Amino acid sequence: MKKNIFLLLSLIILSLVLSGCTSNEQTPNESVKENESIEVEKEEETPKEPELSEEDKQKVLQAEREDLEKIRKDEMGEFYVPLPPLGEDKELQTVKAKALYITGNVAGFKFQEENIDYYADYINAINGQSGKSADLSRLDEINKLEKVLGIAKASEINALVIDIKDDHGYVTWTSELEIVKQVGSNVDVWFDDYKPLMDYLEQNQIYTIARIVAFKDPLFAKSKPEHAIQLKVGGVYLDNNGEAWVNPFNEYVWNYVIAVSREAALRGFDEIQYDYVRFPDRAAYYNPITEFPGRNDRDKDEGIEDFLALASKELEPYNVHIAADVFGIITHSWDDIPDDIGQTWRKVANQVEYICPMIYPSHYGTGVYGYDVPDKHPYEISRLAVMEAIERNAAQKDPAIIRPWFQGFSAPWVKGHIKYDAKAISDQMVAAQELGVEEYVIWNASNNYDPMSFFYQDRIDKTILSNDNVDIMERTPELALDRFLKAQRSIKYSQLYLLTPIENREEDYDKFVEDMKKINPILKSFTVSSINKNEGKGYLAIVDVSYTSDLGTFNSEIAEYEIIDENGIFKVRAPEIKWEKEISE
């Protein structure tokens, strides 16, 4: 009996246990949901960090900036210039600059806005725009700076190029740079009170360009002769005027020039323009007797290219445009030959935003462009030089904008010279604008400008660029093809480079020549059978040709050459050639 009762109790307990287990069982989904719920509860229980206020965010950014500046100051040493203040990033201004050059001392003149307005009214009277007679009563009271600003108010002039580091090496305002203090290059600070002028220019939307002379710096060379061009026998090289130049391969010099540029950008300039970004002239004389520490087997134009690339990179945080001045003859020469001053058009134009050839007719020698006295032909010389500049630019994918320097002075030292009055000066602008080049800078070392130079617009022939059958170089498709084929026959690589579409060759000229030499194609003879408009675009020419090369020969009576317009220049796309090996007997 007891056994039965015990057994019964055991069964009841077992049943209750089993029943409890069954009631606590959950489906997989229910289990997941419960776990998720627990996790959510846990997440909700974790306290969130409060969001920073805008004021606190700025404090964090400012603290980070201060730490960064400490690092930069240690790394840059005497070349240290702070970054633009947080929240004060300058808007990058871009204009089609029509500019006048002024020296640092003229930029430092005091000016009165009523005098500027008076001179602007005078200009409007003498050009007939106001319909009033000119008031001559106060002309003698107006200083050079006020006249320049009056010209900007009354004409198309919308930019100024101002000396910040000049030809003698002087920085024209008080600089915070330690390196400037070491060199003593801001002794004559004519433009020290720069803020009134900079404020006026900004208020009147006048674009500001800081002219910074790069490598003609006798002051720096004297102060730190180890960074000058060295004589092989010892000592520093002096040019024909008895002045020393810094070494354009020297990175210490680069850092100096870039530091001065940073400060100019920080003080409000829209653009940094490098002048004398080259080696001295008379290279044939000094090359055998000088040496350039840091050259590392580079050509001179490679050194200039490397400097401009570095300057562009280092100035990116300062939000300024970069320009470089080059000799006018650089539009005409090739690969820095024969001048050997470090300026090759494409190597400069591919590193900056503006390239500024100094197209002064007085600076061209007898016979250049076929003129005995180029100074007597401002329109023609400017036209031919600008055409060549456009052709060189058209050979690059993304070159600098062309902004020429034009002659704003007479050159009595040139035999047969003419007076550069308003007509002669503006002839240069007319020539350029007829070719689509609208920007320019006028150079006059004394800063005396004839305001009537800037009213020439009615003389521009606007039909020159409208002829579809002639390119900017005044070539028809027939002339372009003939020039291309003759360049192949006489193996003129530079002409072939300029006349071949960009997509059909290497953009780098040295690689292009290397590719050509691997095949060594020579056009033995050619006869153009026909040139007709192509169904797509451009023209199609049928040519009877005979080639030889290191790979064999090619002969065809129906070779097809395409002539296309690329960047305003007619270029020639040659047919694909299948070379036939000559079978020896």
Side-chain angles (χ1 to χ4, degrees):
M1 184 69 174
K2 289 181 179 179
K3 288 182 180 180
N4 290 338
I5 293 172
F6 181 80
L7 180 61
L8 179 61
L9 288 172
S10 299
L11 290 172
I12 291 171
I13 292 169
L14 179 60
S15 174
L16 290 171
V17 170
L18 292 173
S19 175
C21 291
T22 304
S23 65
N24 288 330
E25 284 180 358
Q26 296 173 324
T27 63
N29 287 339
E30 289 173 337
S31 177
V32 169
K33 287 179 182 177
E34 183 174 332
N35 290 336
E36 287 178 351
S37 176
I38 292 169
E39 289 175 4
V40 169
E41 287 175 2
K42 286 181 179 178
E43 290 177 1
E44 289 177 352
E45 289 172 1
T46 304
K48 290 184 177 179
E49 292 185 9
E51 289 189 12
L52 292 175
S53 65
E54 286 301 317
E55 183 180 351
D56 288 337
K57 286 180 182 177
Q58 289 304 313
K59 287 180 179 178
V60 171
L61 291 174
Q62 187 61 44
E64 291 175 348
R65 170 58 66 85
E66 289 172 3
D67 290 341
L68 175 60
E69 290 294 2
K70 288 176 183 176
I71 295 169
R72 293 179 74 250
K73 194 166 187 177
D74 288 341
E75 291 178 347
M76 298 170 73
E78 63 265 50
F79 305 112
Y80 170 72
V81 177
L83 292 166
L86 286 171
E88 297 181 23
D89 293 336
K90 179 181 62 177
E91 183 179 350
L92 186 62
Q93 186 180 181
T94 302
V95 301
K96 290 182 178 178
K98 298 174 175 66
L100 301 180
Y101 160 75
I102 58 174
T103 56
N105 67 314
V106 169
F109 283 0
K110 302 295 183 184
F111 62 92
Q112 300 293 328
E113 291 198 40
E114 62 182 36
N115 290 345
I116 297 168
D117 293 341
Y118 162 79
Y119 195 68
D121 289 342
Y122 163 78
I123 294 170
N124 288 329
I126 63 175
N127 68 24
Q129 288 187 6
S130 67
K132 300 177 182 178
S133 58
D135 178 4
L136 308 179
S137 63
R138 294 177 49 209
L139 274 183
D140 292 341
E141 301 172 15
I142 311 303
N143 66 37
K144 289 182 180 181
L145 177 59
E146 291 168 337
K147 287 181 179 180
V148 165
L149 298 176
I151 291 172
K153 187 161 191 172
S155 74
E156 68 179 14
I157 294 299
N158 63 356
L160 292 184
V161 176
I162 302 174
D163 270 343
I164 295 302
K165 180 174 178 289
D166 67 17
D167 307 25
H168 305 289
Y170 289 106
V171 175
T172 58
W173 54 21
T174 298
S175 172
E176 300 300 320
L177 279 163
E178 176 60 32
I179 184 65
V180 170
K181 296 172 185 176
Q182 288 180 18
V183 174
S185 51
N186 61 348
V187 174
D188 295 319
V189 286
W190 308 288
F191 190 36
D192 200 29
D193 189 16
Y194 63 89
K195 203 166 187 319
L197 178 59
M198 295 298 287
D199 288 345
Y200 176 88
L201 297 177
E202 182 180 8
Q203 290 163 10
N204 289 273
Q205 298 181 320
I206 298 174
Y207 185 76
T208 52
I209 303 171
R211 176 178 179 256
I212 293 178
V213 173
F215 302 127
K216 183 185 179 185
D217 194 333
L219 190 64
F220 194 91
K222 182 179 180 180
S223 174
K224 296 180 179 291
E226 68 274 21
H227 300 297
I229 297 173
Q230 305 293 308
L231 289 169
K232 289 180 178 178
V233 295
V236 171
Y237 167 74
L238 302 179
D239 67 14
N240 207 33
N241 296 316
E243 292 184 319
W245 286 57
V246 292
N247 175 8
F249 284 111
N250 187 300
E251 293 189 12
Y252 189 87
V253 172
W254 293 6
N255 291 334
Y256 175 53
V257 176
I258 292 170
V260 174
S261 307
R262 285 193 183 103
E263 190 169 64
L266 206 57
R267 292 181 176 182
F269 275 93
D270 299 305
E271 179 178 316
I272 304 300
Q273 182 189 79
Y274 292 118
D275 200 0
Y276 286 89
V277 57
R278 63 176 177 87
F279 291 72
D281 48 9
R282 299 181 72 234
Y285 165 73
Y286 68 73
N287 277 343
I289 62 172
T290 57
E291 57 186 4
F292 302 90
R295 183 168 190 164
N296 300 328
D297 296 324
R298 287 175 290 178
D299 292 332
K300 289 180 184 176
D301 57 0
E302 290 177 307
I304 298 301
E305 182 181 31
D306 289 344
F307 163 72
L308 291 172
L310 179 66
S312 296
K313 178 177 177 293
E314 292 296 320
L315 288 167
E316 281 180 7
Y318 296 85
N319 223 21
V320 287
H321 297 293
I322 309 295
D325 299 337
V326 295
F327 271 5
I329 200 66
I330 302 306
T331 71
H332 191 64
S333 60
W334 193 263
D335 263 0
D336 198 25
I337 297 170
D339 299 275
D340 195 27
I341 57 169
Q343 291 185 340
T344 292
W345 182 276
R346 64 185 182 278
K347 292 189 177 183
V348 174
N350 285 331
Q351 298 301 333
V352 296
E353 295 166 271
Y354 297 91
I355 185 167
C356 308
M358 295 176 282
I359 303 173
Y360 308 140
S362 62
H363 284 36
Y364 290 90
T366 299
V368 176
Y369 294 125
Y371 293 97
D372 290 339
V373 185
D375 186 70
K376 293 174 66 173
H377 303 276
Y379 176 87
E380 292 81 3
I381 295 298
S382 299
R383 178 176 175 77
L384 291 166
V386 169
M387 285 168 62
E388 290 183 328
I390 292 172
E391 183 180 34
R392 276 155 175 68
N393 255 15
Q396 305 301 314
K397 289 180 180 177
D398 186 26
I401 293 168
I402 300 167
R403 185 199 292 147
W405 282 90
F406 288 135
Q407 182 169 324
F409 57 89
S410 298
W413 59 87
V414 174
K415 187 176 181 180
H417 75 282
I418 64 170
K419 180 181 179 182
Y420 269 65
D421 55 15
K423 169 68 165 52
I425 292 169
S426 58
D427 276 350
Q428 300 167 97
M429 287 92 90
V430 170
Q433 294 204 29
E434 286 178 347
L435 296 169
V437 173
E438 299 180 46
E439 302 196 35
Y440 62 82
V441 189
I442 307 297
W443 173 272
N444 182 296
S446 64
N447 300 175
N448 291 316
Y449 297 101
D450 185 337
M452 292 305 293
S453 303
F454 311 107
F455 299 95
Y456 57 84
Q457 293 76 11
D458 59 340
R459 289 164 33 216
I460 298 172
D461 184 351
K462 298 180 180 179
T463 68
I464 289 178
L465 294 179
S466 62
N467 189 345
D468 292 338
N469 296 319
V470 179
D471 70 5
I472 287 175
M473 300 301 293
E474 298 183 334
R475 297 180 193 137
T476 62
E478 291 82 3
L479 284 174
L481 176 63
D482 183 69
R483 186 176 178 84
F484 178 85
L485 293 170
K486 286 179 178 177
Q488 282 193 320
R489 188 171 61 187
S490 55
I491 319 177
K492 292 183 177 178
Y493 293 128
S494 60
Q495 288 186 18
L496 290 172
Y497 177 83
L498 294 174
L499 287 165
T500 302
I502 294 172
E503 67 177 6
N504 296 111
R505 58 157 171 78
E506 287 281 357
E507 185 175 12
D508 182 89
Y509 176 70
D510 295 329
K511 291 181 180 177
F512 167 76
V513 172
E514 186 180 323
D515 287 350
M516 293 290 290
K517 287 182 176 180
K518 286 178 182 177
I519 301 172
N520 193 27
I522 300 173
L523 179 59
K524 305 300 290 185
S525 64
F526 69 89
T527 303
V528 179
S529 301
S530 64
I531 298 181
N532 296 295
K533 282 207 167 184
N534 204 350
E535 290 182 3
K537 65 175 184 177
Y539 299 80
L540 183 65
I542 305 300
V543 187
D544 181 353
V545 295
S546 176
Y547 286 92
T548 63
S549 82
D550 292 345
L551 302 181
T553 62
F554 176 78
N555 298 284
S556 175
E557 296 179 356
I558 54 169
E560 295 183 348
Y561 292 76
E562 295 178 68
I563 302 102
I564 64 168
D565 183 322
E566 183 175 74
N567 301 321
I569 306 295
F570 280 138
K571 299 186 180 181
V572 180
R573 182 178 290 122
E576 183 179 351
I577 293 179
K578 295 182 179 178
W579 300 103
E580 295 183 4
K581 289 283 188 180
E582 292 184 352
I583 302 174
S584 57
E585 294 182 0

